[in-house]
Amino acid sequence: MTEATDPAGFELVRRRREPLAQWFGYTCGWSLVAEPRRGYARLTKVRADPDGSRPARRARSGRAPFDRRRYVLLCVTAAELLSLPMTTIGMLADRVVQATSADRALAASPVWCVSAATAVRSPTARPTTRTASGPPPTRNAT
């Protein structure tokens, strides 16, 4: 539902979002996402059984499905994003490197810091690689 297509209905959902969210959560197992500033409300239906035929896919590499390592990096990145109120891509990359440095499987190969940004897309972000054992590559400021 959008504010543009149904202003009266959207206003009702906006004002009553807490009781509606509780009702849909309890009765249907659905989540109500209402974004008044963006002008939309949406019900998110969660499947009881995961659908393995629709995996997360890489933005590059021919849209290959995520492997176990990429899912781990996605989860670590999400956890780091939740732990801070505000961050930058560089700070996020440093925290992901630090969080994964103890794991041999993740630290043995380069950690694609912004490939974890496969989930966190920014129009200005450029992918950079860092290894858990060394400093990040430097860039010339222009």
Side-chain angles (χ1 to χ4, degrees):
M1 165 185 290
T2 65
E3 187 174 24
T5 59
D6 186 4
F10 180 77
E11 180 61 23
L12 182 63
V13 170
R14 187 193 63 77
R15 282 187 286 121
R16 305 282 299 154
R17 91 173 126 188
E18 287 304 317
L20 285 170
Q22 289 175 358
W23 187 87
F24 277 111
Y26 180 78
T27 307
C28 306
W30 300 345
S31 299
L32 174 65
V33 178
E35 293 286 341
R37 291 182 182 174
R38 293 186 177 175
Y40 74 88
R42 169 189 354 213
L43 284 173
T44 305
K45 302 172 186 175
V46 179
R47 296 178 57 111
D49 55 332
D51 182 8
S53 67
R54 297 178 56 182
R57 297 195 173 272
R58 300 179 195 179
R60 299 182 185 152
S61 302
R63 305 237 342 119
F66 274 27
D67 55 3
R68 181 179 299 263
R69 181 173 174 273
R70 288 200 185 261
Y71 276 117
V72 169
L73 288 172
L74 175 63
C75 291
V76 169
T77 303
E80 292 300 329
L81 281 170
L82 287 173
S83 69
L84 297 170
M86 188 180 296
T87 190
T88 65
I89 293 291
M91 290 170 53
L92 176 62
D94 291 339
R95 291 180 64 96
V96 169
V97 168
Q98 184 179 19
T100 59
S101 64
D103 189 324
R104 289 183 186 173
L106 293 172
S109 59
V111 175
W112 293 91
C113 299
V114 184
S115 94
T118 309
V120 184
R121 275 296 196 223
S122 169
T124 59
R126 286 194 250 157
T128 60
T129 59
R130 297 180 185 189
T131 60
S133 60
T138 58
R139 279 198 190 138
N140 293 337
T142 55

